[in-house]
Amino acid sequence: MKRPTLQAILDFLLHRLTRLEFYGTEHIPTQGGIMIATNHLSRLDPVILMITPNRKDITALVADKYLRYPLFKWILQTAGVIWIDRTKADFVAFGEAVKAIRHGLAVGIAPEGTRSKIGKLLEGKPGAVLLASRANVPIVPVGIAGSDTAFAMLKRLRRPTITVRFGAPFRLPPLQRENRNGMLQQWTDEVMCRIAALLPERYHGFYHRHPRLQELLAGDSTAQGASVVSSSPRRYANKTEPSE
């Protein structure tokens, strides 16, 4: 089966089995390499991104543990995902993702590095920032809500609502050798807070009280509409606190 045929089938099924709603798709550049930074709540998430209405070429970095699940393995392989070994620094997968972006594809990545099993955002890891920096492309944040409970609701013959919200694309400043680790943390928090700002509060998790998230939610001038993040790291008085 070819990818377009699979996409059409998945689009049909998901829109009839769930109430699947896409918002902010106008923020997604319709062509050219970009990175899609998403939260990750369910095995459905990469499938959902694959049927984004105006960007049918979205692929994703997907943990190779899904190779153990025949149905998901078949779907994801047909979709042409990039398998990544999350147990180590997988430079081969990283290189393939950079190559795909430079060839004009949209590549999705979950900065958390794994699927959240608590239904909330986990602390982000720097891999997404490094990928965007290496490929030198805009980042489009996306928040997926409702996929975490979709399977449970379907088992009860209830139709779940899943919302997918895309934010404005933005670029991160080049990484500098001086204070590189500090910048990685700063920009990782930026990416994660932009994702959190697209989600209902119950999903904010690790970033629940993060000052940058509060700025974004308050509509700060440097918030979601900013196309380039300031290169001057901010100093926040309060550390991020995970929500209970």
Side-chain angles (χ1 to χ4, degrees):
M1 184 181 293
K2 299 294 185 180
R3 177 182 165 113
T5 303
L6 175 63
Q7 286 175 306
I9 293 172
L10 293 174
D11 189 282
F12 176 85
L13 290 174
L14 282 171
H15 277 96
R16 280 153 183 77
L17 295 175
T18 74
R19 295 181 178 89
L20 180 60
E21 302 166 347
F22 290 89
Y23 298 94
T25 54
E26 69 275 8
H27 292 308
I28 310 171
T30 56
Q31 58 185 357
I34 56 171
M35 192 185 84
I36 306 289
T38 181
N39 62 317
H40 189 15
L41 296 166
S42 166
R43 297 186 181 97
L44 279 177
D45 297 336
V47 177
I48 290 168
L49 288 179
M50 193 175 74
I51 62 170
T52 298
N54 63 335
R55 194 68 198 247
K56 295 296 187 180
D57 67 335
I58 295 179
T59 184
L61 283 158
V62 177
D64 60 5
K65 65 182 180 181
Y66 290 111
L67 290 168
R68 300 196 299 264
Y69 304 93
L71 177 59
F72 281 99
K73 175 184 175 180
W74 176 74
I75 290 174
L76 295 171
Q77 284 186 327
T78 303
V81 302
I82 299 168
W83 298 107
I84 183 170
D85 184 349
R86 296 288 190 186
T87 65
K88 64 179 183 180
D90 193 339
F91 296 109
V92 173
F94 188 86
E96 289 181 3
V98 171
K99 184 177 179 180
I101 291 173
R102 288 178 175 171
H103 276 77
L105 297 181
V107 174
I109 183 172
E112 296 161 280
T114 187
R115 176 168 56 92
S116 173
K117 297 179 180 179
I118 60 172
K120 302 175 183 179
L121 286 174
L122 306 175
E123 183 177 9
K125 297 178 180 179
V129 170
L130 289 169
L131 177 59
S133 177
R134 178 72 64 82
N136 190 26
V137 290
I139 301 170
V140 176
V142 55
I144 301 176
S147 62
D148 52 321
T149 58
F151 285 119
M153 292 185 69
L154 287 169
K155 287 179 181 179
R156 299 197 299 271
L157 302 181
R158 297 177 61 187
R159 193 179 178 197
T161 296
I162 302 174
T163 58
V164 186
R165 297 184 185 275
F166 293 90
F170 65 100
R171 286 181 177 270
L172 296 172
L175 285 170
Q176 305 295 330
R177 287 188 178 182
E178 183 179 351
N179 192 31
R180 185 173 185 272
N181 289 338
M183 292 183 72
L184 280 173
Q185 182 64 60
Q186 178 84 16
W187 306 150
T188 299
D189 287 350
E190 180 72 27
V191 172
M192 292 303 301
C193 286
R194 290 198 181 217
I195 293 171
L198 299 167
L199 292 166
E201 184 178 1
R202 69 181 183 276
Y203 290 107
H204 290 173
F206 186 86
Y207 297 89
H208 177 59
R209 295 175 184 171
H210 196 287
R212 179 56 178 150
L213 174 57
Q214 302 311 309
E215 290 178 350
L216 291 164
L217 294 175
D220 184 273
S221 61
T222 59
Q224 293 181 56
S227 60
V228 180
V229 177
S230 170
S231 59
S232 301
R234 300 187 178 197
R235 306 296 182 186
Y236 292 117
N238 298 320
K239 301 289 285 186
T240 301
E241 297 180 18
S243 60
E244 296 299 328

